[in-house]
Amino acid sequence: MAKIATDRTTIDLFAHEKRPGRPRTNPLPREEQLKLNKRNQIKRDRSKGLKRIECKVSEQLYEQLSLSAEQKNMTRSAYIEWVLEQALTR
């Protein structure tokens, strides 16, 4: 029986060939994995007593926040929280 290099339906003929990348380990499709991970993240944040706040800012302000956070060795989110706490205690 002839073997065609592009035919991947007969696995036994290609058992010795290595395929690139990691083998699939999660039975869920990627879209479902992302939803599940996000749901779990929200549950973890709730258990820690965290609430989500979203706001839109200009690109210039975004860059300033990122730079300032980097200079203080903080994440941008932690830096924004720190700035808000400072503003509220004044």
Coordinates of all heavy atoms in Angstrom, one line a residue:
M1 N 0.8 -1.2 0.0 CA 0.0 0.0 0.0 C 0.9 1.2 0.0 O 1.8 1.3 0.8 CB -0.9 0.0 1.2 CG -1.7 1.2 1.4 SD -3.1 0.8 2.5 CE -2.9 1.9 3.8
A2 N 0.6 2.2 -0.9 CA 1.4 3.4 -1.0 C 1.0 4.4 0.1 O -0.1 4.4 0.5 CB 1.1 4.0 -2.3
K3 N 2.0 5.1 0.5 CA 1.8 6.1 1.6 C 1.9 7.5 1.0 O 2.9 7.8 0.4 CB 2.8 5.9 2.7 CG 3.0 6.9 3.7 CD 3.9 6.4 4.8 CE 4.9 7.5 5.1 NZ 5.8 7.2 6.2
I4 N 0.8 8.3 1.2 CA 0.8 9.7 0.7 C 1.2 10.6 1.9 O 0.6 10.5 3.0 CB -0.5 10.1 0.1 CG1 -0.9 9.2 -1.0 CG2 -0.5 11.5 -0.3 CD1 -2.3 9.4 -1.6
A5 N 2.2 11.4 1.7 CA 2.7 12.3 2.8 C 1.7 13.2 3.4 O 1.7 13.5 4.6 CB 3.9 13.1 2.4
T6 N 0.7 13.6 2.6 CA -0.3 14.6 3.1 C -1.5 13.9 3.8 O -2.4 14.5 4.4 CB -0.8 15.5 2.0 OG1 -1.3 14.7 0.9 CG2 0.3 16.4 1.5
D7 N -1.6 12.6 3.6 CA -2.7 11.8 4.2 C -2.5 11.6 5.7 O -1.6 10.9 6.1 CB -2.9 10.5 3.5 CG -4.0 9.7 4.1 OD1 -4.9 10.2 4.7 OD2 -4.0 8.4 3.9
R8 N -3.3 12.2 6.5 CA -3.1 12.1 8.0 C -4.2 11.3 8.6 O -4.4 11.3 9.8 CB -3.1 13.5 8.7 CG -1.9 14.3 8.2 CD -0.6 13.7 8.8 NE 0.6 14.4 8.3 CZ 1.8 14.0 8.4 NH1 2.0 12.8 8.9 NH2 2.8 14.7 7.9
T9 N -5.1 10.7 7.8 CA -6.2 9.9 8.4 C -5.8 8.5 8.9 O -6.4 8.0 9.8 CB -7.3 9.7 7.4 OG1 -6.8 9.2 6.2 CG2 -7.9 11.1 7.1
T10 N -4.7 8.0 8.3 CA -4.2 6.7 8.8 C -3.1 6.8 9.7 O -1.9 6.9 9.3 CB -3.8 5.8 7.6 OG1 -2.9 6.5 6.8 CG2 -5.1 5.4 6.7
I11 N -3.4 7.0 11.0 CA -2.4 7.3 12.0 C -1.3 6.3 12.1 O -0.1 6.6 12.3 CB -3.0 7.5 13.4 CG1 -4.1 8.7 13.3 CG2 -2.0 7.8 14.4 CD1 -3.5 10.0 13.0
D12 N -1.7 5.0 11.9 CA -0.7 3.9 12.1 C 0.5 4.0 11.1 O 1.6 3.6 11.4 CB -1.4 2.6 12.0 CG -2.1 2.4 10.7 OD1 -2.5 3.4 10.1 OD2 -2.2 1.3 10.2
L13 N 0.3 4.6 10.0 CA 1.4 4.8 9.0 C 2.3 5.9 9.4 O 3.5 5.9 9.0 CB 0.8 5.1 7.6 CG 0.0 4.0 6.9 CD1 -0.5 4.6 5.6 CD2 0.9 2.8 6.7
F14 N 1.9 6.8 10.3 CA 2.7 7.9 10.7 C 3.0 7.9 12.2 O 3.4 8.9 12.8 CB 1.9 9.2 10.4 CG 1.6 9.4 8.9 CD1 0.4 8.9 8.4 CD2 2.5 9.9 8.0 CE1 0.1 9.1 7.1 CE2 2.2 10.0 6.7 CZ 1.0 9.6 6.2
A15 N 3.0 6.8 12.8 CA 3.2 6.7 14.2 C 4.6 7.1 14.6 O 4.9 7.6 15.7 CB 3.0 5.2 14.7
H16 N 5.6 6.9 13.7 CA 7.0 7.2 14.0 C 7.3 8.7 13.8 O 8.3 9.2 14.3 CB 7.9 6.4 13.1 CG 7.8 6.7 11.7 ND1 6.8 6.1 10.9 CD2 8.5 7.4 10.9 CE1 6.9 6.6 9.7 NE2 7.9 7.3 9.6
E17 N 6.4 9.4 13.1 CA 6.6 10.9 12.9 C 6.2 11.7 14.1 O 5.2 11.5 14.7 CB 5.9 11.3 11.7 CG 6.4 10.8 10.4 CD 5.7 11.3 9.2 OE1 5.1 12.4 9.3 OE2 5.7 10.7 8.1
K18 N 7.0 12.7 14.4 CA 6.7 13.6 15.5 C 5.9 14.8 14.9 O 6.3 15.4 13.9 CB 8.0 14.1 16.2 CG 8.8 13.1 16.9 CD 8.1 12.8 18.2 CE 9.0 11.8 18.9 NZ 8.5 11.4 20.2
R19 N 4.9 15.2 15.6 CA 4.1 16.4 15.2 C 4.6 17.6 16.0 O 4.8 17.4 17.2 CB 2.6 16.1 15.4 CG 2.1 15.2 14.3 CD 0.6 15.3 14.4 NE 0.0 15.0 13.1 CZ -1.2 14.9 12.8 NH1 -2.1 15.1 13.8 NH2 -1.7 14.7 11.6
P20 N 4.6 18.8 15.5 CA 5.0 19.9 16.3 C 4.0 20.3 17.3 O 2.8 20.1 17.1 CB 5.2 21.0 15.2 CG 4.3 20.6 14.1 CD 4.3 19.1 14.1
G21 N 4.4 20.9 18.4 CA 3.5 21.5 19.4 C 3.2 20.5 20.4 O 3.5 19.3 20.4
R22 N 2.5 21.0 21.4 CA 2.1 20.2 22.6 C 0.8 19.4 22.2 O 0.0 19.9 21.5 CB 1.7 21.0 23.8 CG 2.9 21.6 24.4 CD 2.5 22.5 25.6 NE 1.5 21.9 26.4 CZ 0.7 22.5 27.2 NH1 0.7 23.8 27.2 NH2 -0.2 21.9 27.9
P23 N 0.7 18.2 22.8 CA -0.6 17.5 22.5 C -1.7 18.1 23.2 O -1.5 18.8 24.3 CB -0.3 16.1 23.1 CG 0.8 16.3 24.1 CD 1.6 17.5 23.6
R24 N -2.9 18.0 22.7 CA -4.1 18.6 23.3 C -4.4 17.8 24.6 O -4.6 16.6 24.6 CB -5.2 18.5 22.3 CG -6.5 19.2 22.8 CD -7.5 19.2 21.7 NE -8.7 19.7 22.3 CZ -9.8 19.9 21.6 NH1 -9.8 19.8 20.3 NH2 -10.9 20.3 22.2
T25 N -4.5 18.6 25.7 CA -4.8 17.9 27.0 C -6.2 18.3 27.5 O -6.7 17.5 28.4 CB -3.7 18.3 28.0 OG1 -3.7 19.7 28.2 CG2 -2.4 17.8 27.6
N26 N -6.7 19.4 27.1 CA -8.0 19.8 27.6 C -9.1 19.4 26.7 O -9.0 19.7 25.5 CB -8.0 21.3 27.9 CG -9.1 21.8 28.8 OD1 -10.2 21.2 28.7 ND2 -8.8 22.7 29.6
P27 N -10.2 18.7 27.1 CA -11.2 18.3 26.2 C -12.1 19.4 25.7 O -12.8 19.3 24.7 CB -12.0 17.3 27.0 CG -11.8 17.7 28.4 CD -10.4 18.3 28.5
L28 N -12.1 20.6 26.4 CA -12.9 21.7 26.0 C -12.3 22.5 24.9 O -11.1 22.6 24.8 CB -13.2 22.6 27.2 CG -13.9 22.1 28.4 CD1 -13.9 23.1 29.5 CD2 -15.3 21.6 28.0
P29 N -13.1 23.1 24.0 CA -12.5 24.0 23.0 C -12.0 25.2 23.6 O -12.4 25.6 24.8 CB -13.7 24.3 22.1 CG -14.9 23.8 22.8 CD -14.5 22.9 23.8
R30 N -11.1 25.9 23.0 CA -10.4 27.1 23.5 C -11.4 28.2 24.0 O -11.2 28.8 25.1 CB -9.5 27.7 22.5 CG -8.6 28.8 23.0 CD -7.6 28.3 24.0 NE -6.9 29.4 24.6 CZ -6.4 29.5 25.8 NH1 -6.7 28.5 26.6 NH2 -5.8 30.5 26.2
E31 N -12.5 28.4 23.3 CA -13.5 29.4 23.6 C -14.1 29.1 25.0 O -14.3 29.9 25.8 CB -14.6 29.4 22.6 CG -15.1 30.8 22.3 CD -16.1 30.7 21.1 OE1 -17.3 30.4 21.3 OE2 -15.6 31.0 20.0
E32 N -14.4 27.8 25.2 CA -15.0 27.4 26.5 C -14.0 27.4 27.6 O -14.3 27.8 28.7 CB -15.6 25.9 26.4 CG -16.8 25.8 25.5 CD -18.0 26.6 26.0 OE1 -18.2 26.6 27.2 OE2 -18.6 27.2 25.1
Q33 N -12.7 27.1 27.3 CA -11.7 27.3 28.3 C -11.6 28.7 28.8 O -11.4 28.9 30.0 CB -10.4 26.8 27.7 CG -10.2 25.4 27.5 CD -8.9 25.1 26.8 OE1 -7.9 25.7 27.2 NE2 -8.9 24.1 25.9
L34 N -11.6 29.6 27.9 CA -11.5 31.1 28.3 C -12.6 31.5 29.1 O -12.5 32.2 30.1 CB -11.4 31.9 27.0 CG -10.1 31.7 26.2 CD1 -10.2 32.5 24.9 CD2 -8.9 32.1 27.0
K35 N -13.9 31.1 28.8 CA -15.0 31.4 29.6 C -14.9 30.9 31.0 O -15.2 31.5 32.0 CB -16.3 30.9 28.9 CG -16.8 31.7 27.7 CD -18.1 31.1 27.2 CE -18.5 31.7 25.9 NZ -19.7 31.1 25.3
L36 N -14.5 29.6 31.1 CA -14.4 29.0 32.4 C -13.3 29.6 33.2 O -13.5 29.9 34.4 CB -14.0 27.5 32.2 CG -13.9 26.6 33.4 CD1 -15.2 26.6 34.2 CD2 -13.4 25.2 33.1
N37 N -12.1 30.0 32.6 CA -11.1 30.6 33.3 C -11.5 32.0 33.8 O -11.1 32.4 34.9 CB -9.8 30.8 32.4 CG -9.2 29.4 32.2 OD1 -9.4 28.5 32.9 ND2 -8.3 29.4 31.2
K38 N -12.2 32.7 33.0 CA -12.7 34.1 33.4 C -13.7 33.9 34.6 O -13.6 34.7 35.5 CB -13.4 34.8 32.2 CG -13.7 36.2 32.5 CD -12.4 37.0 32.7 CE -12.6 38.4 32.9 NZ -11.4 39.2 33.2
R39 N -14.6 33.0 34.5 CA -15.5 32.7 35.6 C -14.8 32.4 36.9 O -15.1 32.9 38.0 CB -16.5 31.6 35.2 CG -17.7 31.5 36.1 CD -18.6 30.4 35.6 NE -19.0 30.6 34.2 CZ -19.0 29.6 33.2 NH1 -18.6 28.4 33.6 NH2 -19.3 29.8 32.0
N40 N -13.8 31.6 36.8 CA -13.0 31.2 38.0 C -12.2 32.4 38.5 O -12.1 32.6 39.8 CB -12.0 30.1 37.7 CG -12.8 28.7 37.5 OD1 -13.9 28.6 37.9 ND2 -12.2 27.8 36.8
Q41 N -11.7 33.2 37.6 CA -11.0 34.4 38.1 C -11.9 35.4 38.8 O -11.6 35.9 39.9 CB -10.4 35.2 36.9 CG -9.6 36.4 37.3 CD -9.2 37.2 36.1 OE1 -9.6 37.0 35.0 NE2 -8.4 38.2 36.3
I42 N -13.1 35.6 38.3 CA -14.1 36.4 39.0 C -14.5 35.9 40.4 O -14.5 36.6 41.4 CB -15.4 36.6 38.1 CG1 -15.0 37.4 36.9 CG2 -16.5 37.2 38.9 CD1 -16.1 37.5 35.8
K43 N -14.6 34.5 40.5 CA -14.9 33.9 41.8 C -13.7 34.2 42.8 O -14.0 34.5 43.9 CB -15.1 32.4 41.6 CG -16.5 32.1 41.0 CD -16.6 30.6 40.9 CE -17.9 30.2 40.2 NZ -18.0 28.7 40.0
R44 N -12.5 34.0 42.3 CA -11.3 34.2 43.2 C -11.3 35.7 43.6 O -11.0 36.0 44.8 CB -10.0 33.9 42.4 CG -9.7 32.5 42.3 CD -8.2 32.3 41.8 NE -7.9 33.0 40.7 CZ -8.1 32.6 39.4 NH1 -8.6 31.4 39.2 NH2 -7.7 33.3 38.4
D45 N -11.5 36.6 42.7 CA -11.5 38.0 43.1 C -12.6 38.4 44.1 O -12.4 39.1 45.1 CB -11.7 38.9 41.9 CG -10.5 38.9 41.0 OD1 -9.4 38.5 41.4 OD2 -10.6 39.4 39.8
R46 N -13.8 37.8 43.9 CA -14.9 38.0 44.9 C -14.6 37.5 46.3 O -14.9 38.1 47.3 CB -16.2 37.3 44.4 CG -16.9 38.1 43.4 CD -18.3 37.5 43.1 NE -18.9 38.1 42.0 CZ -19.6 37.5 41.1 NH1 -19.8 36.2 41.2 NH2 -20.1 38.1 40.0
S47 N -13.9 36.3 46.3 CA -13.6 35.7 47.6 C -12.5 36.6 48.3 O -12.4 36.6 49.5 CB -13.1 34.3 47.4 OG -11.9 34.2 46.8
K48 N -11.7 37.3 47.5 CA -10.7 38.2 48.1 C -11.3 39.6 48.5 O -10.6 40.5 49.0 CB -9.6 38.4 47.2 CG -8.7 37.2 46.9 CD -7.6 37.5 45.9 CE -6.9 36.2 45.5 NZ -5.9 36.5 44.4
G49 N -12.6 39.8 48.1 CA -13.3 41.1 48.4 C -13.0 42.1 47.4 O -13.1 43.3 47.7
L50 N -12.6 41.7 46.2 CA -12.2 42.7 45.2 C -13.4 43.0 44.3 O -14.2 42.1 44.0 CB -11.1 42.2 44.3 CG -9.8 41.9 45.0 CD1 -8.7 41.3 44.1 CD2 -9.2 43.2 45.6
K51 N -13.6 44.2 43.8 CA -14.6 44.6 42.9 C -13.9 45.2 41.7 O -12.9 45.8 41.7 CB -15.5 45.7 43.5 CG -16.3 45.3 44.7 CD -17.4 44.4 44.4 CE -18.2 44.1 45.6 NZ -19.3 43.2 45.3
R52 N -14.6 45.0 40.5 CA -14.0 45.4 39.2 C -14.6 46.8 38.9 O -15.7 47.1 39.0 CB -14.4 44.4 38.2 CG -13.8 44.7 36.8 CD -14.3 43.6 35.8 NE -13.7 43.9 34.5 CZ -12.6 43.4 34.1 NH1 -11.8 42.7 34.9 NH2 -12.1 43.7 32.9
I53 N -13.6 47.7 38.5 CA -14.0 49.0 38.0 C -13.4 49.2 36.6 O -12.2 48.9 36.4 CB -13.4 50.1 38.9 CG1 -14.0 50.0 40.3 CG2 -13.7 51.5 38.4 CD1 -13.4 51.0 41.3
E54 N -14.1 49.7 35.7 CA -13.6 49.9 34.4 C -13.8 51.4 34.0 O -14.9 52.0 34.3 CB -14.4 49.1 33.4 CG -13.6 48.2 32.5 CD -14.4 47.4 31.6 OE1 -14.9 46.3 32.1 OE2 -14.5 47.7 30.4
C55 N -12.8 52.0 33.4 CA -12.9 53.4 32.9 C -12.1 53.5 31.7 O -11.1 52.8 31.5 CB -12.5 54.4 34.0 SG -10.8 54.3 34.5
K56 N -12.5 54.4 30.8 CA -11.7 54.7 29.6 C -10.9 55.9 29.8 O -11.4 56.9 30.3 CB -12.7 54.8 28.4 CG -13.5 53.6 28.1 CD -14.4 53.8 27.0 CE -15.2 52.5 26.7 NZ -16.1 52.6 25.6
V57 N -9.6 55.9 29.4 CA -8.7 57.0 29.5 C -8.0 57.2 28.2 O -8.0 56.3 27.4 CB -7.7 56.8 30.7 CG1 -8.4 56.7 32.0 CG2 -6.9 55.6 30.4
S58 N -7.5 58.4 28.1 CA -6.7 58.7 26.8 C -5.5 57.9 26.8 O -5.0 57.4 27.8 CB -6.4 60.2 26.8 OG -5.5 60.5 27.8
E59 N -4.9 57.8 25.6 CA -3.7 57.0 25.4 C -2.5 57.6 26.2 O -1.7 56.9 26.7 CB -3.4 56.9 23.9 CG -2.2 55.9 23.6 CD -2.0 55.7 22.2 OE1 -2.9 56.0 21.4 OE2 -0.9 55.2 21.8
Q60 N -2.5 59.0 26.2 CA -1.5 59.7 26.9 C -1.5 59.4 28.4 O -0.5 59.1 29.0 CB -1.6 61.2 26.7 CG -0.5 62.0 27.3 CD -0.8 63.5 27.1 OE1 -1.8 63.9 26.6 NE2 0.2 64.3 27.5
L61 N -2.7 59.4 29.0 CA -2.8 59.1 30.4 C -2.5 57.6 30.7 O -1.8 57.3 31.7 CB -4.3 59.4 30.9 CG -4.6 59.1 32.4 CD1 -3.6 59.8 33.3 CD2 -6.0 59.4 32.7
Y62 N -2.9 56.8 29.8 CA -2.5 55.3 29.9 C -1.0 55.1 29.9 O -0.5 54.4 30.8 CB -3.2 54.6 28.7 CG -2.8 53.1 28.7 CD1 -3.6 52.2 29.4 CD2 -1.8 52.6 27.9 CE1 -3.3 50.8 29.4 CE2 -1.5 51.3 27.9 CZ -2.3 50.4 28.6 OH -1.9 49.1 28.6
E63 N -0.3 55.8 29.0 CA 1.1 55.7 29.0 C 1.8 56.3 30.3 O 2.7 55.7 30.8 CB 1.7 56.4 27.8 CG 1.3 55.8 26.4 CD 1.8 54.4 26.3 OE1 2.9 54.1 26.8 OE2 1.1 53.6 25.7
Q64 N 1.2 57.4 30.8 CA 1.8 58.0 32.0 C 1.6 57.0 33.2 O 2.5 56.8 34.0 CB 1.0 59.3 32.3 CG 1.6 60.5 31.6 CD 0.9 61.7 32.0 OE1 -0.4 61.8 31.9 NE2 1.6 62.7 32.4
L65 N 0.4 56.4 33.3 CA 0.1 55.5 34.4 C 1.1 54.3 34.3 O 1.6 53.8 35.3 CB -1.3 55.0 34.3 CG -2.4 56.0 34.7 CD1 -3.8 55.5 34.4 CD2 -2.3 56.2 36.2
S66 N 1.3 53.8 33.1 CA 2.1 52.6 32.9 C 3.6 52.9 33.3 O 4.2 52.2 34.0 CB 2.1 52.1 31.4 OG 0.8 51.7 31.1
L67 N 4.0 54.1 32.9 CA 5.4 54.5 33.2 C 5.6 54.7 34.7 O 6.6 54.3 35.3 CB 5.7 55.8 32.4 CG 7.2 56.3 32.6 CD1 8.1 55.3 32.0 CD2 7.3 57.7 31.8
S68 N 4.6 55.4 35.3 CA 4.7 55.7 36.7 C 4.7 54.4 37.5 O 5.4 54.2 38.5 CB 3.6 56.6 37.2 OG 3.7 57.8 36.6
A69 N 3.8 53.4 37.1 CA 3.8 52.2 37.8 C 5.1 51.4 37.7 O 5.5 50.8 38.6 CB 2.6 51.3 37.2
E70 N 5.6 51.4 36.5 CA 6.9 50.8 36.2 C 8.0 51.3 37.1 O 8.8 50.6 37.7 CB 7.3 50.9 34.8 CG 8.4 50.0 34.3 CD 8.7 50.1 32.9 OE1 7.7 49.9 32.1 OE2 9.9 50.4 32.5
Q71 N 8.0 52.7 37.3 CA 9.1 53.3 38.1 C 8.9 52.9 39.5 O 9.9 52.9 40.3 CB 9.0 54.8 37.9 CG 9.4 55.3 36.6 CD 9.1 56.8 36.4 OE1 8.5 57.4 37.2 NE2 9.7 57.4 35.3
K72 N 7.7 52.7 40.0 CA 7.5 52.3 41.4 C 7.5 50.8 41.6 O 7.2 50.3 42.7 CB 6.2 52.9 41.9 CG 6.2 54.4 42.0 CD 5.0 54.9 42.8 CE 5.0 56.4 42.9 NZ 6.0 56.9 43.8
N73 N 7.8 50.0 40.5 CA 7.9 48.6 40.6 C 6.5 48.0 41.0 O 6.4 47.1 41.9 CB 9.0 48.0 41.5 CG 10.3 48.3 40.9 OD1 10.5 48.3 39.7 ND2 11.3 48.5 41.7
M74 N 5.4 48.5 40.4 CA 4.1 48.1 40.7 C 3.4 47.7 39.4 O 3.8 48.1 38.4 CB 3.3 49.2 41.4 CG 3.8 49.7 42.7 SD 3.0 51.1 43.3 CE 1.6 50.4 44.1
T75 N 2.3 46.9 39.6 CA 1.5 46.7 38.4 C 0.7 48.0 38.2 O 0.5 48.7 39.1 CB 0.6 45.5 38.6 OG1 -0.3 45.8 39.7 CG2 1.3 44.2 38.8
R76 N 0.2 48.1 37.0 CA -0.6 49.3 36.7 C -1.9 49.3 37.5 O -2.2 50.4 38.1 CB -0.9 49.4 35.2 CG -1.6 50.7 34.7 CD -1.8 50.8 33.2 NE -2.3 49.6 32.6 CZ -1.6 48.8 31.8 NH1 -0.3 49.1 31.5 NH2 -2.1 47.7 31.3
S77 N -2.5 48.2 37.7 CA -3.7 48.1 38.5 C -3.4 48.5 39.9 O -4.2 49.2 40.6 CB -4.3 46.8 38.3 OG -4.6 46.1 39.4
A78 N -2.4 48.0 40.5 CA -2.0 48.3 41.9 C -1.7 49.7 42.0 O -2.0 50.4 43.0 CB -0.8 47.4 42.3
Y79 N -1.0 50.3 41.0 CA -0.6 51.7 41.1 C -1.9 52.6 41.0 O -2.0 53.6 41.8 CB 0.3 52.1 39.9 CG 0.7 53.5 39.9 CD1 1.6 54.0 40.8 CD2 0.2 54.4 38.9 CE1 1.9 55.4 40.8 CE2 0.5 55.7 38.9 CZ 1.4 56.2 39.9 OH 1.8 57.5 39.9
I80 N -2.8 52.3 40.2 CA -4.1 53.0 40.1 C -4.8 53.0 41.4 O -5.4 54.0 41.9 CB -4.9 52.5 38.9 CG1 -4.3 52.9 37.6 CG2 -6.3 53.1 38.9 CD1 -4.9 52.3 36.3
E81 N -4.9 51.8 42.0 CA -5.5 51.6 43.3 C -4.8 52.5 44.3 O -5.5 53.2 45.1 CB -5.5 50.2 43.7 CG -6.3 49.9 45.0 CD -6.3 48.4 45.4 OE1 -5.8 47.6 44.6 OE2 -6.8 48.1 46.5
W82 N -3.5 52.5 44.3 CA -2.7 53.3 45.3 C -3.0 54.8 45.1 O -3.3 55.6 46.0 CB -1.3 53.0 45.1 CG -0.4 53.9 46.0 CD1 -0.1 53.6 47.3 CD2 0.4 55.0 45.7 NE1 0.7 54.6 47.8 CE2 1.1 55.5 46.8 CE3 0.5 55.7 44.5 CZ2 1.9 56.6 46.8 CZ3 1.4 56.8 44.5 CH2 2.0 57.2 45.6
V83 N -3.1 55.3 43.8 CA -3.4 56.7 43.5 C -4.8 57.1 44.0 O -5.0 58.1 44.5 CB -3.2 57.0 42.0 CG1 -3.8 58.3 41.6 CG2 -1.7 56.9 41.6
L84 N -5.7 56.2 43.7 CA -7.1 56.5 44.2 C -7.2 56.6 45.7 O -7.9 57.4 46.2 CB -8.1 55.4 43.7 CG -8.3 55.4 42.2 CD1 -9.1 54.2 41.7 CD2 -9.1 56.7 41.8
E85 N -6.5 55.7 46.4 CA -6.5 55.7 47.9 C -5.9 57.0 48.4 O -6.4 57.6 49.3 CB -5.7 54.5 48.4 CG -6.5 53.2 48.3 CD -5.7 52.0 48.8 OE1 -4.4 52.2 49.1 OE2 -6.2 50.9 48.8
Q86 N -4.8 57.4 47.7 CA -4.1 58.7 48.1 C -5.1 59.9 47.9 O -5.1 60.8 48.7 CB -2.8 58.9 47.3 CG -1.8 57.9 47.5 CD -1.3 57.9 49.0 OE1 -1.1 59.0 49.5 NE2 -1.2 56.8 49.6
A87 N -5.8 59.9 46.8 CA -6.7 61.0 46.5 C -7.9 61.0 47.4 O -8.3 62.1 47.8 CB -7.3 60.8 45.0
L88 N -8.4 59.9 47.9 CA -9.5 59.8 48.8 C -9.1 60.2 50.2 O -10.0 60.6 51.0 CB -10.2 58.4 48.7 CG -10.9 58.1 47.5 CD1 -11.4 56.7 47.5 CD2 -12.1 59.1 47.2
T89 N -7.9 60.0 50.6 CA -7.5 60.3 52.0 C -7.1 61.7 52.2 O -6.9 62.2 53.3 CB -6.3 59.4 52.4 OG1 -5.2 59.6 51.5 CG2 -6.7 57.9 52.5
R90 N -7.1 62.5 51.1 CA -6.7 63.9 51.2 C -7.9 64.7 51.8 O -9.0 64.5 51.7 CB -6.3 64.5 49.9 CG -5.0 64.0 49.5 CD -4.6 64.7 48.2 NE -3.4 64.0 47.7 CZ -3.0 64.1 46.4 NH1 -3.6 64.9 45.6 NH2 -1.9 63.4 46.0

